[in-house]
């Protein structure tokens, strides 16, 4: 059977999504229409394979539900009724409204909101110079990665990680709070290769994810207790003298105070905190310390707790303790993000010098609070959103929706689809997809730089983020040249750098080949002889810097804020911990959660609960249940079994409230507090109760 399709053009590009894999793709175009999109088979990380979402990207591009023209609200706020208007009419009205708001309350009454609809370097941050120029409130975009990063940096600095492809050399791999098969699919073949070579795969996750189900060993601690697990492991490793005394002596700081701290965490106590058996902790510690090379991979699930940074900081002490950095394939697996940001000329496009750090900021995790606050002066009167769907992805969804539905909030949303956020807008403006615009892609999961070239003309009147902000700037009468540079100019500027990592990489070369690996030196990843990018130059078991931030300078377990131990009073009413991770294989955050194929493949959202928690509540597999706390409720079907440990329940994130049974989705329940460091969210510090619902749930 031939898989060849005749086309008159093949365009090289890259997946724009917020995912570590950043796949290189090729698009076959016939008579101006994209007819086929495939993963680049020559790309060492994509290897010709796309995921369950992006394999059908053309359905997204050509979906009848795409927004293709500017639309103005005609119905009530949030009702989703709009009329088509021209770009000129929309821009004239929008700029007039913004000018009025600026005249009355000053520019900080405007709040930009954006996240990672696209990761491309020029589209993602296209609004920054525009908002800096106006002097609007600044958005702290910390919903993902910041807490884990902040915690890891305390221990190891911004040291180069062990590159994902090197995991093939590992013989003991711990996927610690990350669901690789769903969220980082293209790393999986490398892990499988390592296993073929004899590696053991451990997954540490309260949930039996698709990844955990395939592991050799699944360890299921209570959420938010992983620091205690790591401390218990370190206790065993030190007590049994399984640590690398030479590495510790030469390249770490604070071993003696750490050793002292570890006396507080014998395996029995770690077991009591984590809900594991002491024997399992001992066995894990011994296996980790005695198998070489040994690698740990963390991503984001683990950081979404009030103690998320401390958990990352504590876990990241393990490799230095056992000297895992000595061998290729040992240490902490991560993408070389810092290498992209160090070598590309990002500042020339982003212009950080024009950002006034003294202007007030709002953390994106707390959008609901900001929009409903009576204390903000001036209040937020206008919200300008692109590349994000806060109505679905921000915590405390009911507060977010209450804010978005304020009659006196002037909201503009630049989008591909009529998301729950766009539904609440006064203006919805059409955004292009990755097939219709240009961009340069970095990756947080591998070392390849990719050029995305437009394969087709924009559909309807859709425009890229860059053009949206050029038009807004022009309509407001701004004249600064840097606001109006072309997309190609911006990409060429990014590549204008004499950093050795970019040696031999040019715009023309990327145009031809689509992608190129950064020229990382052979010893890029090596911490074999120390050289940590910390204040002391060592791996810091003891970190002085934490004291000033009000944290323990030593690794420690702090109970998660909203948990049975952290808040026993609340836990009397809401005794179960709720996880709302990215378990929906066919969604990318809330993207694709409106497309028929992806919705059908996902089926309905379920609440997973353990038999021991179901029986006392008289809940059987398939029953309709109501999951609730003071912030909201979600109605869905129960799935009783072994997909989650006792004391914890879980449901997928990503679902749009408007398309969910019961009319609300996971974030209706989630906490909107911040992490201990890095200003991240604490989504997974959420307590709930579950009850059986007698009347059938209406499916949306
Ligand atoms: N298919 C798909 N792929 C994606 C995404 C998507 O939505 N869909 N999203 C992308 C994005 S934005 C990101 S940030 C990455 C995220 O990638 P991951 O971090 O791998 O994904 P998450 O689902 O956020 O969390 C992973 C796991 O953390 C577990 N977890 C939560 N709390 C704890 C804890 O306290 N301890 C331990 N040990 N485990 C815990 C959850 O049960 C979950 O299974 O994935 C990216 N890839
Ligand atoms: N409960 C719970 N909540 C979570 C998480 C969780 O694990 N659990 N994970 C959190 C994490 S890690 C993350 S990263 C965030 C993700 O949050 P978001 O970055 O908001 O992710 P998406 O839901 O994919 O929304 C992206 C939107 O951008 C639009 N878009 C795509 N491309 C473009 C473009 O080029 N231009 C414009 N203007 N729009 C575009 C898409 O149509 C989509 O509606 O969610 C967070 N929320
Ligand atoms: Mo994320």
């Amino acid at each position: 059977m031939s898989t060849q399709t005749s086309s008159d053009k093949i365009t090289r590009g890259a997946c724009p999504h917020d995912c570590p894999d950043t796949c290189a793709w090729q698009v076959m175009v016939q008579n101006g229409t994209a007819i086929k999109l495939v993963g680049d088979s020559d790309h060492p990380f994509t290897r010709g394979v796309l995921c369950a979402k992006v394999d059908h990207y053309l359905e997204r591009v050509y979906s009848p539900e795409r927004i293709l023209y500017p639309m103005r609200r005609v119905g009530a706020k949030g009702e989703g009724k709009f009329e088509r208007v021209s770009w000129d009419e929309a821009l004239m009205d929008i700029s007039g409204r913004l000018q009025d708001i600026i005249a009355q309350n000053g520019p900080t009454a405007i709040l930009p909101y954006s996240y990672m609809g696209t990761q491309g370097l020029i589209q993602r941050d296209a609004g920054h110079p525009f908002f800096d120029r106006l002097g609007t409130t600044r958005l702290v975009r910390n919903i993902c990665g910041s807490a884990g990063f902040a915690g890891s940096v305390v221990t190891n600095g911004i040291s180069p990680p062990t590159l994902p492809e090197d995991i093939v050399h590992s013989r003991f791999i711990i996927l610690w709070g990350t669901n690789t098969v769903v969220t980082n699919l293209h790393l999986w073949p490398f892990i499988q290769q390592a296993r073929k070579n004899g590696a053991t795969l451990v997954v540490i996750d309260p949930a039996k994810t698709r990844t955990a189900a395939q592991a050799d060993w699944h360890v299921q601690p209570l959420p938010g207790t992983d620091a205690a697990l790591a401390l218990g492991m370190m206790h065993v490793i030190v007590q049994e003298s399984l640590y690398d005394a030479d590495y510790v002596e030469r390249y770490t700081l604070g071993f003696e105070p750490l050793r002292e701290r570890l006396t507080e965490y014998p395996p029995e106590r770690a077991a009591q905190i984590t809900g594991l058996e002491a024997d399992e902790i001992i066995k894990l510690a011994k296996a980790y310390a005695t198998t070489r090379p040994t690698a740990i991979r963390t991503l984001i699930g683990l950081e979404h707790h009030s103690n998320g940074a401390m958990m990352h900081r504590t876990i990241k002490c393990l490799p230095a303790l056992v000297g895992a950095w000595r061998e290729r394939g040992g240490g902490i697996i991560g993408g070389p993000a810092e290498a992209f940001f160090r070598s590309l000329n990002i500042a020339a496009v982003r212009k950080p010098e024009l950002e006034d750090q003294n202007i007030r900021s709002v953390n994106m995790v707390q959008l609901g609070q900001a929009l409903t606050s009576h204390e903000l002066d001036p209040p937020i009167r206008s919200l300008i959103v692109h590349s994000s769907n806060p109505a679905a992805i921000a915590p405390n969804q009911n507060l977010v929706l209450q804010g978005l539905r304020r009659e006196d909030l002037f909201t503009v949303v630049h989008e591909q689809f009529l998301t729950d956020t766009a539904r609440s807008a006064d203006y919805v403006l059409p955004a292009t997809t990755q097939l219709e615009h240009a961009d340069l892609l970095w990756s947080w999961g591998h070392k390849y730089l990719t050029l995305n070239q437009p394969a087709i003309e924009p559909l309807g009147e859709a425009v890229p983020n860059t053009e949206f902000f050029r038009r807004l700037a022009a309509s407001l009468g701004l004249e600064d040249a840097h606001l109006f540079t072309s997309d190609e100019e911006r990409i060429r500027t990014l590549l204008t750098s004499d950093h050795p990592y970019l040696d031999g990489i040019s715009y023309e070369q990327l145009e031809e080949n689509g992608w190129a690996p950064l020229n990382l030196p052979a010893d890029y990843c090596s911490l074999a002889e120390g050289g940590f990018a910390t204040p002391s130059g060592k791996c810091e078991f003891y970190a002085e810097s934490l004291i000033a931030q009000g944290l323990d300078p030593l690794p420690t377990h702090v109970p998660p804020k909203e948990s049975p131990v952290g808040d026993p009073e609340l836990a009397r009413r809401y005794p179960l911990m709720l996880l709302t991770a990215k378990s929906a294989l066919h969604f990318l955050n809330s993207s694709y959660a409106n497309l028929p194929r992806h919705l059908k493949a996902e089926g309905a959202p379920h609440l997973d609960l353990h038999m021991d928690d179901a029986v006392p509540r008289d809940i059987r597999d398939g029953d309709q249940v109501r999951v609730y706390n003071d912030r909201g409720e979600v109605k869905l079907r129960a799935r009783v079994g072994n997909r989650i440990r006792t004391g914890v329940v879980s449901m997928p994130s990503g679902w749009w409230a408007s398309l969910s049974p019961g009319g609300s989705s996971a974030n209706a329940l989630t906490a909107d507090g911040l992490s201990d460091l890095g200003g991240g969210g604490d989504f997974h510090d959420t307590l709930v109760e579950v009850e059986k619902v007698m009347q059938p749930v209406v499916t949306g």
Side-chain angles (χ1 to χ4, degrees):
M1 198 173 73
S2 167
T3 52
Q4 276 196 336
T5 321
S6 75
S7 62
D8 43 42
K9 190 176 88 167
I10 294 179
T11 310
R12 290 175 176 276
C15 177
H17 290 313
D18 187 2
C19 167
D21 296 6
T22 310
C23 291
W25 70 30
Q26 296 185 3
V27 189
M28 285 97 206
V29 180
Q30 200 173 47
N31 300 324
T33 301
I35 52 170
K36 197 171 175 194
L37 180 148
V38 296
D40 188 335
S41 50
D42 294 332
H43 189 284
F45 212 74
T46 306
R47 294 177 162 192
V49 175
L50 295 175
C51 65
K53 309 162 295 279
V54 177
D55 217 11
H56 307 286
Y57 194 78
L58 294 187
E59 289 172 26
R60 182 174 181 87
V61 175
Y62 293 112
S63 165
E65 291 174 38
R66 272 284 298 278
I67 294 166
L68 297 178
Y69 303 95
M71 301 199 296
R72 176 166 58 203
R73 171 166 75 94
V74 289
K77 265 268 154 124
E79 196 184 336
K81 280 201 184 144
F82 297 89
E83 64 178 0
R84 182 175 162 184
V85 292
S86 70
W87 265 103
D88 282 349
E89 213 179 332
L91 287 166
M92 199 173 350
D93 194 20
I94 292 168
S95 56
R97 295 286 295 268
L98 295 181
Q99 272 156 347
D100 286 348
I101 290 171
I102 292 171
Q104 289 159 15
N105 295 90
T108 56
I110 301 169
L111 176 68
Y113 198 95
S114 67
Y115 203 59
M116 230 50 91
T118 166
Q119 283 206 149
L121 288 163
I122 70 159
Q123 301 301 341
R124 180 185 76 162
D125 296 342
H128 287 29
F130 169 79
F131 292 113
D132 291 345
R133 172 66 180 76
L134 287 187
T136 64
T137 291
R138 293 176 306 129
L139 183 76
V140 179
R141 287 158 123 199
N142 281 6
I143 209 164
C144 173
S146 307
F149 177 76
S152 306
V153 165
V154 168
T155 303
N156 292 324
I158 310 179
S159 303
T162 298
L163 289 179
E165 283 153 288
D166 278 346
I167 207 168
V168 296
H169 302 292
S170 307
R171 289 298 170 272
F172 195 79
I173 300 169
I174 304 183
L175 301 176
W176 202 316
T178 176
N179 186 3
T180 311
V181 170
V182 173
T183 62
N184 187 188
L185 177 68
H186 293 79
L187 181 63
W188 190 246
F190 295 95
I191 293 174
Q192 292 294 65
Q193 181 64 45
R195 295 174 87 184
K196 243 187 231 142
N197 298 340
T200 300
L201 178 66
V202 183
V203 170
I204 304 181
D205 196 312
K208 187 169 181 183
T209 59
R210 285 175 197 258
T211 312
Q214 296 194 50
D216 301 305
W217 187 352
H218 181 199
V219 180
Q220 288 182 275
L222 284 163
T225 67
D226 300 73
L229 172 55
L231 285 159
M233 288 170 70
M234 288 192 260
H235 176 105
V236 175
I237 291 166
V238 171
Q239 200 185 35
E240 309 247 337
S241 289
L242 298 174
Y243 63 101
D244 184 333
D246 179 59
Y247 195 92
V248 165
E249 164 72 25
R250 287 171 196 249
Y251 310 122
T252 71
L253 182 76
F255 179 63
E256 282 313 318
L258 174 69
R259 185 202 285 269
E260 180 76 32
R261 169 58 50 89
L262 295 178
T263 60
E264 296 169 32
Y265 291 92
E268 295 69 28
R269 173 150 186 260
Q272 186 243 326
I273 296 170
T274 56
L276 298 169
E277 297 291 330
D279 281 351
E280 184 166 41
I281 298 174
I282 295 168
K283 206 173 116 202
L284 181 61
K286 288 185 178 169
Y288 176 75
T290 57
T291 322
R292 322 285 294 236
T294 175
I296 294 174
R297 167 71 162 164
T298 59
L299 262 182
I300 305 300
L302 186 67
E303 77 166 34
H304 282 147
H305 291 277
S306 56
N307 58 0
M310 187 52 92
M311 290 204 288
H312 272 268
R313 179 254 191 294
T314 304
I315 290 166
K316 307 282 157 80
C317 290
L318 278 161
L321 188 66
V322 301
W325 296 110
R326 286 186 191 273
E327 297 107 18
R328 190 164 181 203
I332 304 287
I333 301 289
E338 65 83 33
F340 288 100
F341 289 101
R342 196 190 303 179
S343 58
L344 291 161
N345 192 6
I346 290 172
V349 176
R350 165 69 186 84
K351 303 235 175 258
E353 69 278 9
L354 300 180
E355 182 179 1
D356 181 352
Q357 297 288 340
N358 296 319
I359 289 183
R360 78 166 177 200
S361 60
V362 163
N363 191 310
M364 66 181 297
V365 174
Q366 299 180 322
L367 178 67
Q369 295 178 33
L371 293 181
T372 56
S373 161
H374 296 292
E375 272 133 49
L376 282 187
D377 182 24
I380 305 300
R381 290 191 53 200
S382 176
L383 182 71
I384 302 180
V385 184
H386 73 87
S387 312
S388 184
N389 181 14
I393 62 88
N396 204 349
Q397 185 177 90
N398 289 322
L399 202 63
V400 173
L401 291 174
Q402 186 190 324
L404 288 175
R405 288 177 189 157
R406 260 175 51 198
E407 277 299 333
D408 61 343
L409 182 73
F410 179 64
T411 304
V412 178
V413 177
H414 182 229
E415 249 298 349
Q416 297 165 347
F417 292 94
L418 194 64
T419 59
D420 287 357
T421 308
R423 258 176 182 277
S424 295
D426 295 277
Y427 277 96
V428 183
L429 300 168
T432 43
T433 66
Q434 189 78 339
L435 258 51
E436 301 150 72
H437 60 231
D439 215 334
L440 185 69
L441 278 292
W442 67 297
S443 163
W444 44 285
H446 58 63
K447 63 176 178 187
Y448 303 89
L449 189 65
T450 329
L451 178 70
N452 182 68
Q453 301 173 69
I456 57 171
E457 289 297 315
L459 299 192
E461 294 179 1
V463 301
N465 295 349
T466 44
E467 176 62 13
F468 170 52
F469 286 104
R470 282 190 288 261
R471 290 186 183 189
L472 262 187
S475 73
L476 281 162
L478 304 179
E479 289 176 347
D480 315 58
H482 72 275
L483 298 175
F484 297 98
T485 46
S486 73
D487 292 4
E488 185 179 323
E489 221 174 322
R490 290 180 195 191
I491 295 173
R492 285 184 183 274
T493 304
L494 287 172
L495 293 166
T496 308
S497 154
D498 49 19
H499 197 284
Y501 294 173
L502 293 181
D503 270 359
I505 303 178
S506 65
Y507 186 87
E508 286 68 28
Q509 185 254 326
L510 289 171
E511 236 180 347
E512 179 70 22
N513 300 321
W515 51 268
L518 291 181
N519 277 302
L520 302 177
D523 61 352
Y524 173 74
C525 305
S526 180
L527 294 168
E529 290 172 24
F532 292 86
T534 53
S536 63
K538 296 183 168 186
C539 167
E540 298 201 349
F541 295 144
Y542 180 92
E544 186 88 34
S545 61
L546 285 178
I547 300 173
Q549 304 181 71
L551 294 178
D552 196 321
L554 284 167
T556 185
H557 166 70
V558 181
K561 209 166 68 189
E562 195 174 308
S563 69
V565 179
D567 193 344
E569 189 61 34
L570 189 68
R572 263 193 281 282
R573 284 190 290 148
Y574 306 122
L576 296 166
M577 301 175 86
L578 171 71
L579 292 178
T580 55
K582 300 165 191 76
S583 51
L585 182 72
H586 303 84
F587 300 164
L588 191 288
N589 300 314
S590 79
S591 298
Y592 299 95
N594 63 323
L595 296 183
R597 175 195 290 272
H598 297 77
L599 278 168
K600 188 166 170 219
E602 255 343 282
H606 286 95
L607 180 81
D608 283 316
L609 77 171
H610 193 273
M611 187 64 82
D612 293 351
D613 293 315
V615 170
R617 292 173 177 80
D618 191 28
I619 294 167
R620 293 197 184 89
D621 192 47
D623 279 352
Q624 314 273 10
V625 293
R626 183 171 90 95
V627 188
Y628 62 98
N629 60 20
D630 288 343
R631 286 178 291 266
E633 62 170 34
V634 175
K635 290 180 182 161
L636 69 188
R637 272 183 201 282
R639 198 160 58 175
V640 180
N642 67 351
R643 285 191 177 83
I644 192 84
R645 60 155 296 141
T646 53
V648 190
V649 293
S650 102
M651 69 175 78
S653 60
W655 285 83
W656 298 12
S658 62
L659 299 176
S660 297
S664 68
S665 56
N667 276 323
L669 299 161
T670 50
D672 56 358
L674 298 181
S675 59
D676 44 356
L677 272 184
D682 66 352
F683 297 87
H684 298 317
D685 274 22
T686 292
L687 287 172
V688 294
E689 179 54 293
V690 183
E691 69 179 20
K692 195 159 142 173
V693 184
M694 289 311 171
Q695 68 275 31
V697 174
V698 186
T699 338

